[in-house]
């Protein structure tokens, strides 16, 4: 799965094929025509209400795909840094890495698709965090 360029229609189509969902069930649940479903498969982005219905039908959280993109590719916030300097206090961050993200990163290193240093520089994961994950494997 390419988290940098998300094509939600193709992801939905893959999940439908994986689960072998009958077309009749989709039509009834989504209250639409078969042509509408084919159009959704072609769309790079869809309305959140429609995506939510697909999530319920396929029992899969497609919104996490977008969350993964934000975690991996959004720049650090400048507002937080300036607030920390002004307050001069320690700020504790919650664990922002889901199990899916951790497994994705670990798999990249273990299968030698990327080195640990490449992962650290590309995804901006702290060195100690990455090595703790690898140590647990």
């Amino acid at each position: 799965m390419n988290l940098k360029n998300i094509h939600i229609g193709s992801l939905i189509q893959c999940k439908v094929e994986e689960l072998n969902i009958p077309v009749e069930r989709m039509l009834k649940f989504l209250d639409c025509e078969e042509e509408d479903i084919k159009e959704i498969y072609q769309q790079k982005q869809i309305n959140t209400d429609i995506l939510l219905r697909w999530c319920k039908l396929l029992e899969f959280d497609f919104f996490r795909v977008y969350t993964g993109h934000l975690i991996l590719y959004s720049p650090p916030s400048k507002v937080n840094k300036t607030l920390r300097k002004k307050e001069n206090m320690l700020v504790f961050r919650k664990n922002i890495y889901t199990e899916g993200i951790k497994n994705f990163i670990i798999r990249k290193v273990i299968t030698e698709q990327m080195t640990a240093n490449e992962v650290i520089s590309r995804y901006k994961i702290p060195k100690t965090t990455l090595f703790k994950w690898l140590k647990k494997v």
Side-chain angles (χ1 to χ4, degrees):
M1 181 182 336
N2 182 359
L3 290 178
K4 193 164 193 170
N5 298 311
I6 301 168
H7 190 289
I8 198 67
S10 63
L11 294 177
I12 290 171
Q13 184 177 14
C14 288
K15 194 67 176 174
V16 167
E17 291 170 358
E18 178 184 316
L19 297 174
N20 294 321
I21 304 289
V23 176
E24 297 80 24
R25 181 173 173 217
M26 290 188 291
L27 296 176
K28 187 175 181 179
F29 187 87
L30 299 170
D31 191 30
C32 64
E33 300 292 323
E34 192 168 349
E35 295 80 30
D36 298 330
I37 292 175
K38 290 179 181 176
E39 279 182 34
I40 286 175
Y41 291 163
Q42 302 303 316
Q43 293 179 357
K44 184 172 169 59
Q45 50 199 346
I46 62 174
N47 184 306
T48 54
D49 292 332
I50 296 170
L51 184 59
L52 183 60
R53 295 176 89 188
W54 278 104
C55 290
K56 290 176 182 177
L57 174 65
L58 301 175
E59 297 177 1
F60 184 82
D61 187 1
F62 289 103
F63 292 99
R64 286 204 178 218
V65 175
Y66 292 105
T67 304
H69 173 88
L70 289 174
I71 290 169
L72 293 174
Y73 298 106
S74 64
S77 173
K78 292 180 181 179
V79 175
N80 289 341
K81 288 180 182 178
T82 56
L83 287 176
R84 287 181 198 158
K85 287 178 184 176
K86 287 180 182 178
E87 294 176 2
N88 202 15
M89 294 175 55
L90 292 176
V91 177
F92 293 98
R93 290 178 23 185
K94 285 186 175 180
N95 186 1
I96 60 172
Y97 305 106
T98 63
E99 285 301 314
I101 298 295
K102 288 179 187 179
N103 293 336
F104 171 79
I105 302 282
I106 290 169
R107 195 175 325 115
K108 288 281 188 186
V109 175
I110 289 175
T111 60
E112 297 179 355
Q113 293 176 351
M114 295 177 80
T115 65
N117 287 332
E118 289 172 334
V119 168
I120 291 166
S121 65
R122 182 172 183 181
Y123 300 121
K124 307 289 189 257
I125 295 175
K127 188 175 184 179
T128 55
T129 303
L130 177 63
F131 286 107
K132 283 180 187 175
W133 295 348
L134 292 172
K135 190 175 180 180
K136 292 180 183 178
V137 175

